[in-house]
Amino acid sequence: MDLTAPVPLTETVDFGGMSIAFDSRLLRPRDWTAAQSRWAAELAVEVPTGRILELCCGAGQIGLLAAQLSGRSLVCVDASPVAAAYTRDNARAAGLEGAVEVREGLLTEVLEPDETFPLVVADPPWVPRADTGRFPEDPLLAIDGGADGLDLARACVATIGAHLAPGGLAVLQLGTTDQVARLHAALAGAGLRVAEVRGYEDRGVVVRLER
Ligand SMILES: C[S@@+](CC[C@H](N)C(=O)[O-])C[C@H]1O[C@@H](n2cnc3c(N)ncnc32)[C@H](O)[C@@H]1O
């Protein structure tokens, strides 16, 4: 992070009834993604006890709303120090400070080998690198999914496969149903399968994963 750069203005938006602060170094919270939080909270009723894991949390809003709705504690992961700081602030503002642990670092590096979670929420960057120029407002770290848009999604799938507790479920956000199909090999390699796909017009899709 360039500590000499001017700090952008903090904005606050409503996300499913929660007040979420962020700035232009992060992806602007997208209203429709509250559906991923609500789905996770519904699934929380049917999975074993334990904390929710959120991979690629940004300002933390998707995982925080899922935690608030389900009453579960949350572990949030993001490579961006700015994201980690806002997630901590947003957790505090929501009264969830004691229920939220934020880990700053690569999603492939911040979990202990034997840690498992009954519910995982993942919202990786999923824009193909060649298309990222269409979103000049969005930070590259938040949207650049590599050549086919799926580099980070594959990393999330591998991490979910390694850390999903027995009887656990995951909800993974992607851009298109075509991307879901192209994750087939990664899912098979991680011992996961697609149980349901929900589309949100042309804004994105959320996939429910299980073993
Ligand atoms: C699509 S954004 C999602 C942010 C937030 N969940 C939202 O919906 O606004 C992806 C996030 O992944 C983070 N990220 C990118 N690569 C990562 C990695 N290797 N490990 C952990 N986080 C990563 C980015 O910093 C960014 O916050």
Side-chain angles (χ1 to χ4, degrees):
M1 186 166 44
D2 178 3
L3 295 175
T4 64
V7 177
L9 281 180
T10 295
E11 293 182 61
T12 303
V13 294
D14 177 88
F15 184 81
M18 293 186 109
S19 181
I20 297 295
F22 69 102
D23 70 38
S24 60
R25 294 171 292 179
L26 302 181
L27 195 62
R28 171 175 287 274
R30 298 153 292 157
D31 283 344
W32 75 268
T33 61
Q36 185 174 5
S37 309
R38 293 193 189 97
W39 197 3
E42 286 165 28
L43 297 177
V45 174
E46 53 184 280
V47 299
T49 55
R51 296 191 287 182
I52 300 172
L53 171 66
E54 181 179 21
L55 301 172
C56 300
C57 65
Q61 67 275 13
I62 298 177
L64 290 172
L65 183 58
Q68 186 185 65
L69 292 173
S70 66
R72 292 199 182 224
S73 296
L74 173 69
V75 175
C76 287
V77 173
D78 203 287
S80 157
V82 176
Y86 272 111
T87 298
R88 288 190 188 97
D89 288 351
N90 287 326
R92 196 175 306 118
L96 293 173
E97 191 179 8
V100 177
E101 179 189 347
V102 183
R103 298 189 194 174
E104 177 189 319
L106 301 178
L107 66 93
T108 47
E109 294 182 358
V110 296
L111 300 176
E112 297 298 328
D114 59 350
E115 274 187 300
T116 59
F117 299 85
L119 188 57
V120 184
V121 175
D123 12 295
W126 43 252
V127 178
R129 184 161 296 152
D131 296 339
T132 54
R134 291 170 45 207
F135 309 99
E137 304 287 310
D138 296 342
L140 270 184
L141 182 64
I143 63 168
D144 184 352
D148 69 350
L150 292 173
D151 286 0
L152 272 299
R154 289 190 189 92
C156 284
V157 164
T159 299
I160 293 166
H163 295 278
L164 192 67
L169 296 170
V171 279
L172 167 69
Q173 187 189 129
L174 294 169
T176 63
T177 50
D178 177 58
Q179 287 187 328
V180 180
R182 283 190 285 118
L183 269 188
H184 181 79
L187 289 166
L192 297 170
R193 70 175 203 95
V194 174
E196 185 179 349
V197 181
R198 293 184 184 177
Y200 299 89
E201 296 165 351
D202 61 350
R203 294 168 295 185
V205 300
V206 180
V207 184
R208 171 182 160 171
L209 301 176
E210 61 187 26
R211 289 204 188 280

